[in-house]
Amino acid sequence: MRKFNPNKNIIILLIVVIIVVTTVSITAANRAKDSGTNIVQSAINDTVSVVDKIITAPGRWVTGGVQSVSNLVNTYQENEKLKNEVDQYDEVKQQTKNQVQEIEHLKAELELNQTLTSYQKVTANVITRSPDTWQDMLIVDKGSSDGVEGNMAVMSQKGLIGRVMEVNAHSSKIQLLTSNNKNSNHFPVKISSNKGNSFGVLNNYNIKEQQLIVSEITGDQDIKEGDVVQTSGLGGNSPADLPIGTVVKVKPDSYGLNREVYIKPYAQMYDISVVTIVQRMAGAAE
């Protein structure tokens, strides 16, 4: 068996190094004389270029992959941040809208209270409106401890909306003018025209046209569109001169014997958050 001779291998390596150095020197000298590239130099350059590409390619792939993943993660994080900002913007927008509506309701209620200076009154917040009686009933957060009594007139925004039907210590149930309960929701009214007043009873509501209906009209005065309708105070269940709305049209009743007057109410009945309960005339006896 032949023994490994390290001296021989060193000699061979030195010879190879000398040949490479000599070749590079000769090539450099020739390039100084001639701007062209000879065959040997071209072969060396091409070999070095190929080897460089092979060696550096995996590094570039890894670097590019890492950068792509990093970009993807950053994009995802930015998208999540933008989604959260959009959600927060929508939430703030809705809160602002709700606050604006609440402010408008309170402003309308304040204006109403300023017109009712001749009455004792209490302002209450709506706390419940049951879905199965949405058109008829609502519950407010004031009761007998606040001076509320049954049959008191209830107003909101700019006009009459109903009356107190049930009173507890700290809450009350309000029946709206939109109710079909004709036994408990009659209001004696006065219709003011240029030639005098007509009187009748508010006792019905047209859901489709969202108009109140007055019947049992007394007198023969000409009632026309735009005439003002108020409570008359007759019967003693409600104060006089509470605003209700304006006349929209007049037509014969179903029997053709009397007139029915259709009223556009000052207050809308479907978005009520604050009400004013009219207790009595200011200065009236307790």
Side-chain angles (χ1 to χ4, degrees), residues 108-126:
E109 211 65 26
L110 178 61
E111 292 175 1
L112 173 63
N113 275 267
Q114 289 173 344
T115 66
L116 298 175
T117 54
S118 299
Y119 303 93
Q120 293 182 4
K121 51 197 176 294
V122 59
T123 300
N125 297 307
V126 176

Side-chain angles (χ1 to χ4, degrees), residues 34-246:
D34 188 1
S35 60
T37 304
N38 58 38
I39 297 176
V40 176
Q41 183 65 32
S42 296
I44 293 174
N45 291 342
D46 292 341
T47 301
V48 171
S49 176
V50 171
V51 171
D52 178 70
K53 290 181 179 179
I54 294 173
I55 293 174
T56 59
R60 291 197 301 271
W61 293 340
V62 171
T63 302
V66 171
Q67 186 64 39
S68 297
V69 171
S70 177
N71 291 339
L72 182 61
V73 171
N74 290 337
T75 301
Y76 175 79
Q77 292 175 343
E78 289 176 0
N79 286 339
E80 288 298 312
K81 182 179 178 181
L82 290 174
K83 286 173 62 178
N84 291 333
E85 290 178 353
V86 169
D87 292 340
Q88 291 175 0
Y89 171 77
D90 291 339
E91 182 178 351
V92 170
K93 183 179 179 181
Q94 185 60 44
Q95 289 177 350
T96 302
K97 182 179 179 181
N98 293 339
Q99 290 171 352
V100 169
Q101 290 178 342
E102 184 176 356
I103 290 172
E104 291 301 319
H105 290 164
L106 292 173
K107 286 173 62 179
E109 211 65 26
L110 178 61
E111 292 175 1
L112 173 63
N113 275 267
Q114 289 173 344
T115 66
L116 298 175
T117 54
S118 299
Y119 303 93
Q120 293 182 4
K121 51 197 176 294
V122 59
T123 300
N125 297 307
V126 176
I127 56 177
T128 303
R129 189 165 185 173
S130 177
D132 57 347
T133 57
W134 183 264
Q135 188 178 319
D136 300 332
M137 297 284 186
L138 52 84
I139 298 176
V140 298
D141 62 354
K142 297 296 174 65
S144 58
S145 61
D146 305 289
V148 178
E149 299 175 0
N151 286 326
M152 285 183 171
V154 181
M155 307 187 69
S156 182
Q157 300 151 25
K158 297 181 179 180
L160 187 72
I161 63 168
R163 71 166 78 239
V164 177
M165 291 301 299
E166 182 180 312
V167 183
N168 301 305
H170 303 289
S171 66
S172 300
K173 182 180 290 185
I174 310 300
Q175 186 168 57
L176 301 177
L177 297 178
T178 54
S179 170
N180 292 323
N181 188 349
K182 296 181 176 60
N183 294 325
S184 61
N185 215 20
H186 288 189
F187 270 93
V189 300
K190 173 181 64 178
I191 304 171
S192 301
S193 61
N194 292 334
K195 296 183 179 181
N197 297 329
S198 300
F199 296 89
V201 177
L202 181 68
N203 60 4
N204 210 342
Y205 181 73
N206 186 305
I207 298 175
K208 182 178 179 181
E209 297 182 6
Q210 298 185 14
Q211 295 172 356
L212 301 167
I213 302 174
V214 176
S215 59
E216 303 178 27
I217 307 296
T218 62
D220 57 358
Q221 283 83 359
D222 183 27
I223 300 173
K224 62 183 185 302
E225 180 180 353
D227 285 349
V228 174
V229 182
Q230 300 170 297
T231 57
S232 67
L234 300 177
N237 284 335
S238 60
D241 301 328
L242 298 179
I244 298 174
T246 57

